[in-house]
Amino acid sequence: MSSDSIIITMLILCGIITVLIVFSEPLKYLLRLAANSALGAGAMFLINTVFGFTGLGVGINMVTVLTVGLLGLPGIAALYIVRIILG
């Protein structure tokens, strides 16, 4: 292995490490949003199953799931309060 290929390999590794460091924070927030959205969708499904016979159901779609993913438990409460108010 020549010294040129060693230097190129080291530069590539430094570039990869730099990219990982730069994008680690946004990736962490996206993964947290995805996990919160999945848990929120599951919670809304359970609530819809329990209270489905009363007509108090909120549709599970991208907007409601992202609302719950961003706001958490207050987002679930807000969706159901809006559902009660708007009927």
Side-chain angles (χ1 to χ4, degrees):
M1 199 173 221
S2 69
S3 62
D4 289 341
S5 62
I6 292 174
I7 291 173
I8 290 173
T9 304
M10 289 176 66
L11 287 174
I12 290 173
L13 287 175
C14 286
I16 290 172
I17 290 171
T18 303
V19 167
L20 288 175
I21 289 172
V22 168
F23 290 116
S24 67
E25 281 297 314
L27 186 61
K28 185 178 9 174
Y29 290 123
L30 285 175
L31 290 175
R32 184 177 297 158
L33 176 65
N36 287 344
S37 297
L39 290 172
M44 287 192 328
F45 177 76
L46 289 174
I47 293 170
N48 283 344
T49 302
V50 171
F51 293 113
F53 64 92
T54 63
L56 182 66
V58 173
I60 300 175
N61 55 40
M62 189 64 74
V63 174
T64 58
V65 168
L66 285 177
T67 300
V68 172
L70 288 172
L71 299 177
L73 190 58
I76 292 176
L79 288 172
Y80 283 96
I81 290 171
V82 168
R83 175 69 173 137
I84 290 170
I85 290 172
L86 295 179

